[in-house]
Amino acid sequence: MAAIQIDSVLIKNTSLSEEQVTLLLDQPSATGASIRDLLTRKEGQTADDVLSDLAGQMGLTYLREIPVNEINVDLVRDIPIGFAKKHEALPLKEDALSVHVLVTNPLNTRILDDLRVIFKKRIVPVMTSKTRVIDAINKLYEKSTSGLQGLEGIEDDDLDLEDQIIDLLESGDDDAPVIKLVNTLLFRAVKEKASDIHIEPYERDMAVRFRIDGVLFDIYKPPKKLQNSITSRIKVMANLNIAEKRLPQDGRIPLKLGGKDIDVRLSTVPTAFGERIVMRLQDRSNVVLQLEQLGFSEESMGILTEDLLKRTYGILLVTGPTGSGKSTTLYASLTRINNSELNILTVEDPVEQRIHGIGQVQVNAKIGLTFAQGLRSFLRQDPDVIMIGEIRDLETAELAIQASLTGHLVFSTLHTNDAAGAFPRLMDIGCEPFLIATSIQGVISQRLVRVLCQHCKSPHVATDADLVSLGLSREAVRGATIYKSVGCEHCNGKGYLGRTNIQELLLVTDDIRTMIMQRKDGGAIKRRALELGMKTFRDHGVEKVLKGITTIEEVLANTQIDL
């Protein structure tokens, strides 16, 4: 390995500067030869070999494997992740007199001095490569709940918030209490897989709540005096106007937490007691789920994959309330049919998951790029399959119908309570019944129910009231084990871990088309679909109860529409 390669290896794999590398390599070793000469004598050496030999010459230990699971998370409680990553330094272990710290640049004495002040102990540097220390930082901070406990002790009188907090925010000091609180709440929300963070001001206090698996949980009650500072900090992160407190505002916060790319959509609304903030978290590093992972019944999966997704024209609608997994189902469907033979285009608001091989367009109302405008342009792009994020108005609906009737397969979503409600909804916004009947091939309506934690679920004997509620006889549940939720450390005491869908899948047959053209209401269409074999939400929910996937309470709470 030539000398210039030694330099490049060190610069690439450590945070040593070019000047530091040159000075270090030109120093004499214990044998009198320069360190550079010693490092270039071996044949076939790897980058790890070079770094290990250099560490040895400096009297330091070099680690090729980092035992992340053995590191005490308390060691990083007072060290912000941004500091650790910027300086590529991570505490490894602690004893009575010293703290061993992973570093990639042991010559950076300023950072070692800072850590000495924090720990009030001697700092022993341990060398490793840049990629290893960054990976270790991501993994350790992901499992750490650093910060929140330290804030529990903050009293109202500890801070002169009108002056001190504003100064702290402007200073950009990562250790400022409010900054630390906001960062910790975001980190904890990602760790607990929360979909939303609610910050709610009241007359004498305020509350922070997380929505986890569709249910809101109280997480923390910051002191009322922190309200304005918390609000200002979050608005600064989203580049919003912190002086405007009378009007609603929307913004975005791109974050990287625990090695994950998180997109936060922010909404503020003025209330009687201050601005209410809701942040929706989207993990952009998540892979697109496959249809088989979404919880479709065998019957629905067969109809979807063997019939609807193989059609070359028509509209497939996915309906349901906000947060019912409509977009996830559409992404999984597109992934299923995505291949080099098809030109697939989407127009979305926003683009939640990026799929290789598919053209995805983000709606931007400020410049006139609406769903309708995007769809109109798509028709000149020779598409085979088009996905529209949502049908919101007559113009978008008519363009979708036009596209489906001219030989394109169109996917979209609609907000209705059940599958049959899609048809009167389209008529309400102005679509002609004969066009609806001709273009729509099928409608999937779905709900999400929570999945029992497999570590703590407990067998449960269904009461007569339970069976009556589900429309089952005692004979029908014989041989099946029904479970109830309990709660353990794996599910944070909630009894549930994750969600799965229950669905209605309505195929548009000749009978259904006739009823649509006769402007029949959703109830009449649903009754006829049930006669033709459609299963309801409750039918699919009961299947999941009998398979031990969810509970009776979850199904009853999410299937009132069947009553």
Side-chain angles (χ1 to χ4, degrees):
M1 183 177 286
I4 187 64
Q5 291 176 314
I6 291 288
D7 288 18
S8 63
V9 164
L10 294 179
I11 291 170
K12 179 179 179 181
N13 292 280
T14 71
S15 57
L16 289 161
S17 66
E18 293 185 29
E19 183 180 1
Q20 287 176 324
V21 167
T22 302
L23 290 173
L24 185 59
L25 294 181
D26 288 342
Q27 286 185 13
S29 67
T31 63
S34 70
I35 293 177
R36 184 190 303 276
D37 290 338
L38 291 179
L39 296 183
T40 56
R41 286 179 180 177
K42 295 183 179 179
E43 295 293 333
Q45 58 187 349
T46 64
D48 266 334
D49 294 333
V50 172
L51 294 173
S52 179
D53 289 347
L54 177 64
Q57 291 295 326
M58 300 175 69
L60 303 177
T61 301
Y62 181 79
L63 289 187
R64 296 173 187 251
E65 293 185 6
I66 300 174
V68 178
N69 293 331
E70 299 175 14
I71 301 176
N72 187 347
V73 295
D74 288 340
L75 284 175
V76 299
R77 191 170 302 281
D78 296 321
I79 301 176
I81 188 173
F83 177 94
K85 284 189 172 183
K86 178 180 178 181
H87 301 294
E88 295 172 8
L90 179 69
L92 182 65
K93 61 181 180 180
E94 182 180 26
D95 55 38
L97 299 175
S98 60
V99 176
H100 295 248
V101 178
L102 285 169
V103 295
T104 65
N105 182 359
L107 301 182
N108 191 343
T109 55
R110 186 173 66 83
I111 300 308
L112 300 180
D113 289 340
D114 289 344
L115 293 173
R116 189 178 299 111
V117 171
I118 292 174
F119 291 106
K120 298 179 174 61
K121 291 183 179 181
R122 184 170 65 95
I123 301 300
V124 179
V126 178
M127 274 196 72
T128 191
S129 67
K130 179 180 295 190
T131 54
R132 286 198 187 95
V133 75
I134 294 298
D135 183 57
I137 289 170
N138 287 336
K139 290 178 179 177
L140 186 62
Y141 278 81
E142 185 172 355
K143 72 176 184 178
S144 168
T145 55
S146 170
L148 193 64
Q149 293 84 349
L151 290 165
E152 295 289 349
I154 292 179
E155 301 293 339
D156 289 357
D157 295 335
D158 290 342
L159 301 168
D160 182 4
L161 293 167
E162 292 301 321
D163 297 318
Q164 292 185 23
I165 293 297
I166 292 174
D167 292 339
L168 287 168
L169 289 173
E170 291 178 348
S171 72
D173 183 357
D174 281 342
D175 290 327
V178 172
I179 296 176
K180 190 174 183 181
L181 171 59
V182 172
N183 291 347
T184 303
L185 289 174
L186 288 166
F187 182 82
R188 181 172 172 182
V190 171
K191 181 185 175 187
E192 297 191 14
K193 296 181 171 61
S195 61
D196 301 85
I197 302 173
H198 291 237
I199 299 177
E200 304 165 350
Y202 300 107
E203 184 174 7
R204 292 185 175 85
D205 60 5
M206 62 186 301
V208 176
R209 299 197 288 170
F210 289 173
R211 186 178 295 279
I212 303 172
D213 291 335
V215 178
L216 280 169
F217 295 93
D218 286 322
I219 298 297
Y220 186 59
K221 291 187 178 297
K224 180 70 173 176
K225 286 186 178 181
L226 288 176
Q227 178 178 314
N228 290 337
S229 301
I230 291 172
T231 302
S232 296
R233 172 60 182 166
I234 294 172
K235 290 169 74 173
V236 165
M237 294 173 72
N239 293 318
L240 299 181
N241 182 359
I242 63 173
E244 180 54 78
K245 301 180 180 181
R246 301 166 300 172
L247 295 174
Q249 295 187 68
D250 296 310
R252 301 186 100 87
I253 306 173
L255 296 175
K256 194 171 184 69
L257 291 173
K260 298 179 180 180
D261 290 313
I262 308 297
D263 182 46
V264 181
R265 281 185 276 169
L266 173 72
S267 172
T268 72
V269 174
T271 69
F273 303 114
E275 290 180 280
R276 191 180 192 279
I277 296 175
V278 175
M279 293 180 278
R280 169 152 289 189
L281 280 63
Q282 175 69 39
D283 185 353
R284 290 191 175 275
S285 61
N286 279 347
V287 296
V288 177
L289 297 176
Q290 302 299 311
L291 281 171
E292 290 80 4
Q293 299 172 274
L294 302 186
F296 282 99
S297 66
E298 290 184 12
E299 182 185 12
S300 297
M301 179 65 81
I303 295 172
L304 189 58
T305 58
E306 299 302 323
D307 182 2
L308 292 173
L309 294 184
K310 289 187 176 180
R311 301 194 183 190
T312 57
Y313 65 91
I315 298 176
L316 173 61
L317 286 177
V318 182
T319 75
T322 300
S324 61
K326 299 187 297 295
S327 296
T328 301
T329 297
L330 286 181
Y331 280 128
S333 299
L334 290 177
T335 302
R336 183 67 171 241
I337 64 175
N338 184 21
N339 61 63
S340 59
E341 297 176 359
L342 293 177
N343 180 21
I344 304 176
L345 301 174
T346 76
V347 56
E348 309 169 54
D349 183 20
V351 175
E352 295 180 4
Q353 295 287 344
R354 292 172 173 82
I355 308 175
H356 179 71
I358 294 179
Q360 296 173 272
V361 174
Q362 168 96 33
V363 165
N364 188 341
K366 293 181 179 178
I367 61 173
L369 180 53
T370 61
F371 281 118
Q373 183 59 46
L375 183 52
R376 190 177 288 109
S377 301
F378 280 179
L379 296 178
R380 296 190 288 272
Q381 289 278 314
D382 186 31
D384 298 294
V385 180
I386 296 172
M387 194 265 271
I388 307 165
E390 182 183 346
I391 293 178
R392 297 175 178 173
D393 51 45
L394 177 59
E395 184 181 13
T396 305
E398 287 180 336
L399 285 167
I401 290 172
Q402 177 189 342
S404 71
L405 295 178
T406 53
H408 305 90
L409 183 59
V410 179
F411 296 89
S412 191
T413 68
L414 199 64
H415 287 286
T416 63
N417 288 328
D418 58 4
F423 308 111
R425 169 65 182 144
L426 290 172
M427 293 180 205
D428 286 343
I429 64 176
C431 295
E432 292 294 336
F434 75 92
L435 290 175
I436 298 172
T438 307
S439 60
I440 296 181
Q441 306 296 308
V443 181
I444 302 169
S445 188
Q446 61 185 55
R447 296 283 186 281
L448 294 178
V449 294
R450 290 184 291 174
V451 173
L452 278 162
C453 174
Q454 300 304 304
H455 296 92
C456 64
K457 67 180 183 180
S458 173
H460 167 67
V461 177
T463 65
D464 290 338
D466 290 336
L467 296 178
V468 169
S469 299
L470 294 176
L472 295 174
S473 63
R474 183 67 62 180
E475 185 64 30
V477 299
R478 195 177 305 280
T481 304
I482 295 174
Y483 294 89
K484 66 178 180 179
S485 61
V486 179
C488 67
E489 60 181 10
H490 295 280
C491 57
N492 290 324
K494 298 177 178 68
Y496 299 93
L497 204 56
R499 290 189 288 177
T500 185
N501 90 36
I502 54 177
Q503 71 284 155
E504 290 181 348
L505 199 163
L506 192 157
L507 272 177
V508 180
T509 62
D510 290 339
D511 285 356
I512 301 296
R513 286 192 181 91
T514 300
M515 297 182 75
I516 294 170
M517 287 190 283
Q518 293 173 348
R519 291 183 179 269
K520 297 290 186 180
D521 61 66
I525 293 175
K526 182 171 183 175
R527 287 191 291 273
R528 182 56 183 151
L530 292 173
E531 292 171 2
L532 295 172
M534 184 184 80
K535 297 288 184 65
T536 65
F537 292 122
R538 183 152 295 182
D539 293 334
H540 287 140
V542 168
E543 288 180 13
K544 291 192 184 313
V545 169
L546 298 181
K547 289 179 179 178
I549 296 172
T550 190
T551 61
I552 293 172
E553 293 77 14
E554 271 295 291
V555 171
L556 293 178
N558 287 279
T559 58
Q560 302 97 327
I561 192 68
D562 287 348
L563 302 179

